[in-house]
Structures are given as structure tokens and as C-alpha cells.
Amino acid sequence: MAEIHPTAIVDPGAELGEGVQVGPYSIIEDDVVVGDGTWIGPHVVIRNHTTIGRHNRLYQFSSIGESPQHHGYAGEPTRLVIGDRNIIREYCTFNRGTAGHLGQTRIGDDNFIMAYAHIAHDCTLGNHVTFANGASLAGHVNVGDYAILGGFTLVHQFCQVGAHCITGIGAVCFQDVPPFIVAAGNSARPYGINAKGLHRRSFPEETITLLKRAYRLLYRCNLDLKTAIREIDRLAPGDPALSTFCEFLRRSERGVIRH
């Protein structure tokens, strides 16, 4: 049974799982699903067409599932879908998707989203992602697993942020950020492989060494992108991390940060 503070407003059409707690003055609209064990702090607003998984923690003054900030949005019933065990701190703003594209914004599991972060329409976050305070995504951005966005990082619309990468404080990303690297600056530039993060994730030393060699081929050998990818492929055919790295480069539509 859910525990709802007397001052909270919960629409009868909302579905709250077992053990859900709703704090003072929070508002939960119709067509909202909240999974078991989720804690919703005071003054949280959860708009309609939102699904939230189990054992999440939503802190005060967050706006969850608001309509997209998009000129073409005309009130269509798009969605926001949030997975399990996410921590969403104060004043975060998550928008629903748009009808002309994915139709939903999707947040994975076990993410740590710090205060004042913004996730715009049609974005997709993987799992175990960390956003430091004020990190913000424009629309249609994808963020891979275990990525870390430093404080006040800004990511341009339609960009891809690769798994296991990390950005410095105030980074401004106008192009795709490949997996496994460190990026910083305005505009964001590459600063090597995220070796510390990869060690923390128990990547083998041989794999980290291969990624450093791949980084040099991409960024230090004055090769065009196609040639760099071909040379990286030759380093260790079949290595999962190198395959991920090369596949990201091949899929990039906005181009990757290079200089």
C-alpha cells in the first residue's frame, strides 16, 4: 500500500505500487505509473503519460514528465519512461518525447542524476550514468552506460555520448563523444582515454592499452576518420571494447569530436 502525505495530490487514475511514498505537496497526475518502493519527496510534480520503475528516489522540486519544449509539439500523448533504482536530485527537469520521433524519453536503471540536470525530449539514457549538477541534454541525445557528465556539461541535440566516457566541468559538446574517452572544454575536445574509470569498472589492462593505441590512431596520427577506423580494426579483431569504439565511429552522423 502506498503512503501518501495528506497535502499531496494524486489523481485517481495514477497507479502507485507497494511501498510507494509521496511527500508533502507533491502532485501526481492521471496516467502515471510508479513502481514498488519508489520514494517521491516533497513538492515533486509528475505529469501524465509517465512511467517510473521500482525503488527510485525523486527529490524535492523536480519536474518529471512535463511536455517537450518543442515548437512542433501539439499535445500528443507522448511518454517519459524511467527504469529502476535511479536517484533524481533536486530541481531536475525531465521532458516527454515528441510524436514525430521516438515518442518517448527513456531513462535506464541505476542512474545518478544530480541537482538541476535537464533531460530534454526524445533522449535515451543507458544504465549507471552519472550527471553532475546542472548537466543538460538537448533533444534526441543518447547517452551510453556508465558515462559521466561533469557539472554544467551541455550536449547539443542529436548528439551521441558513448559509454564509459567522462566530460569535464562546463564541457559543451556539439558533436558525438566517443566511448571510453575524456572530453572537456567549449567546444569539447578529447583528452585521452578514461583509464581511471575503466580500471574502476574492472576492464583488463590489455584492453585499456588497446584503447590507448586506438585513441592515438584516431587523434594523434593525422588520419582521416575512415583510415583511423580501418587501422583500429586491425589492432585486435574481435576485441569487444575496440569493436564498440569502431562501431560508434561508424554510426556517427554529426561527426565525432576530433580536435
Side-chain angles (χ1 to χ4, degrees), residues 2-230:
E3 180 182 329
I4 303 171
H5 192 274
T7 60
I9 300 173
V10 179
D11 191 279
E15 299 179 23
L16 306 185
E18 288 295 321
V20 170
Q21 299 178 59
V22 182
Y25 302 103
S26 286
I27 299 172
I28 301 177
E29 295 188 341
D30 185 21
D31 190 23
V32 170
V33 178
V34 181
D36 296 348
T38 288
W39 176 83
I40 299 166
H43 297 279
V44 175
V45 177
I46 304 177
R47 298 295 309 275
N48 50 19
H49 314 307
T50 297
T51 299
I52 300 173
R54 299 173 299 149
H55 303 293
N56 295 283
R57 295 185 64 83
L58 283 68
Y59 285 74
Q60 54 266 29
F61 302 106
S62 290
S63 172
I64 306 300
E66 186 54 84
S67 57
Q69 298 178 105
H70 188 280
H71 283 299
Y73 181 70
E76 299 90 349
T78 56
R79 297 202 70 82
L80 167 67
V81 179
I82 298 174
D84 301 333
R85 299 176 304 278
N86 296 287
I87 296 173
I88 301 167
R89 292 301 303 249
E90 300 87 341
Y91 293 97
C92 286
T93 53
F94 294 2
N95 293 165
R96 301 193 306 274
T98 57
H101 296 274
L102 293 179
Q104 66 177 229
T105 301
R106 178 172 288 274
I107 314 297
D109 302 330
D110 301 295
N111 298 302
F112 186 15
I113 312 299
M114 298 185 197
Y116 293 93
H118 175 68
I119 298 175
H121 59 87
D122 302 290
C123 289
T124 301
L125 266 65
N127 306 317
H128 302 281
V129 172
T130 299
F131 278 33
N133 294 338
S136 297
L137 307 181
H140 311 279
V141 171
N142 293 332
V143 180
D145 296 346
Y146 291 100
I148 299 175
L149 271 61
F152 302 100
T153 291
L154 305 177
V155 183
H156 194 276
Q157 61 185 359
F158 294 101
C159 283
Q160 314 293 310
V161 178
H164 297 279
C165 73
I166 183 169
T167 67
I169 185 170
V172 181
C173 306
F174 291 107
Q175 292 182 295
D176 296 345
V177 180
F180 311 117
I181 77 165
V182 178
N186 180 6
S187 302
R189 299 174 60 187
Y191 286 89
I193 289 295
N194 181 22
K196 184 177 291 186
L198 297 180
H199 281 121
R200 192 179 298 124
R201 301 266 71 82
S202 301
F203 275 66
E205 194 64 46
E206 308 80 54
T207 296
I208 297 173
T209 299
L210 283 172
L211 288 169
K212 288 179 178 179
R213 292 173 64 188
Y215 179 90
R216 284 196 293 271
L217 286 168
L218 180 62
Y219 290 112
R220 297 291 181 262
C221 293
N222 295 318
L223 302 176
D224 63 78
L225 185 59
K226 287 185 178 180
T227 304
I229 293 171
R230 185 169 63 248

